[in-house]
Amino acid sequence: MNRIIVQKFGGTSVADTDKIKNVAKIVIREKENGNDVVVVVSAMGHTTDYLVKMAKDLTTTPSEREMDMLLSTGEGVSIALLAMAIQSQGYDAISYNAIQAGIYTENIHSKARITDIKTDKIKSQLAQGKIVVVAGFQGMTEDYEITTLGRGGSDTSAVALAAALNATRCDIYTDVEGVYTTDPRIVPKASRLEEISYDEMLELAHAGANVLHPRSVETAKHSNVQMRVRSSFNLNNLGTLITGVEKMEIYKPVTGVAADLSQARIVVCNVPDRPGVAAKIFSCLADKKISVDMIIQSYARKISNTNDIAFTVNGCDLDKTLETLDELKTELNSDEVEVDTDIAKVSIVGAGMIDRPGIASKMFETFAKQGINIKMISTSEIKISCLVNKEDAKRAVQALHDVFELNSDVVADVKGTLPDV
Ligand code: ADP
Ligand code: ASP
Ligand code: MG
């Protein structure tokens, strides 16, 4: 049996037909190495952003089901075009959407998790010598409803397929040459990492390093998938290996810096200081599949016997969160809710910070020197995150990158442009 390699190409890599021809060459090269190849592709360029914009032009509250129907069409275009490009080079290829590829998800829209992949059809096509091109980002429920995995979710499609097919490798091709110490669009002299552990990558991805969808790293770690991030535009560079092995001794306390500008902070004021209040709020949010990130509860005020609970959610869940809190206001005896969308979460991540005192203070001192106010702080064993004003995020990342000595001598090569929608 041949080795199976899963390759994933993001939007920039398939942005136009010339780029699709380039992708076809990379795919064929892997096939010529004697491997079976499964390719996962995203929608072309900024297609998904334009589809979102069109929906928003029609309604401020599009139904989640119809949004999934709409957004899943983007990947449908790129799979067919890539299969044609491969065929035109004389190789056998077939494109599959999520239904044909057997990608099953939970029955929720806009951020469904993959529950199972029935690989029989893909395997039978591979056995016939075909290159199988699969639509990323999409899934289906048991009753054939179309779902999507969340923005950036094609990475997760690719890793889940690699796990289900027991693939030798999952290569994520993108518009930068690997994982860097921070977004090279913010710090052009960011350093490319030769390798990074699953745990550090997971924290970085959750902290806003959108080079990888966090759930792709989670899946790779869980199923031990060998994952590499590399450039579609420079094949001489092998990029970054995401691996389960930590370096024996870690000399730098911080591996990377990230910023997430998509969060919103909510403060539920004057809630009664009694057992069950936090459980009520967060279980109701969980029932609606709203993920909460940072949480802070203030000290109880003795006179009123109340406190405040502050937390952050992704901006796309803000309306649903406020609706949920509104439904709870009588029960919580609190009708004062403050919302702040002018925030960014800036994080430093590194396995090297374990048992190394002084890292948090160095981060806070850096902010103090820059005159950047910290609105909220949270920590994990290998991450420290601070909420700051949005306008301070870029400066905060640049200063932290500098202070923790992460700069390289060369300017990173970044191919794509940011969407102007
Ligand atoms: P694709 O369309 O290929 O999925 P994405 O735009 O989702 O590409 O991810 C690649 C982008 O991620 C890069 O262009 C870069 O701006 C951004 N990025 C953010 N943090 C990092 C990081 N630490 N290392 C590399 N790229 C990063
Ligand atoms: N096309 C989807 C998006 O833009 C999925 C992806 O690119 O991974 O979010
Ligand atoms: Mg992506």
Side-chain angles (χ1 to χ4, degrees), residues 8 152 155 210-211:
K8 179 259 169 177
D155 299 330
N210 59 335
V211 63

Side-chain angles (χ1 to χ4, degrees), residues 219-233:
T219 309
K221 182 182 175 189
H222 179 259
S223 302
N224 213 5
V225 172
Q226 247 223 60
M227 199 177 176
R228 198 173 264 290
V229 176
R230 57 185 301 187
S231 168
S232 301
F233 306 98

Side-chain angles (χ1 to χ4, degrees), residues 107-119:
N107 189 11
I108 63 163
H109 288 291
S110 83
K111 51 182 168 189
R113 282 179 173 264
I114 297 175
T115 50
D116 191 18
I117 303 186
K118 303 220 187 300
T119 53

Side-chain angles (χ1 to χ4, degrees), residues 8 11 42-43 48 75 137 150-155:
K8 179 259 169 177
S42 295
T48 314
E75 273 66 15
F137 184 52
R151 296 302 306 271
S154 298
D155 299 330

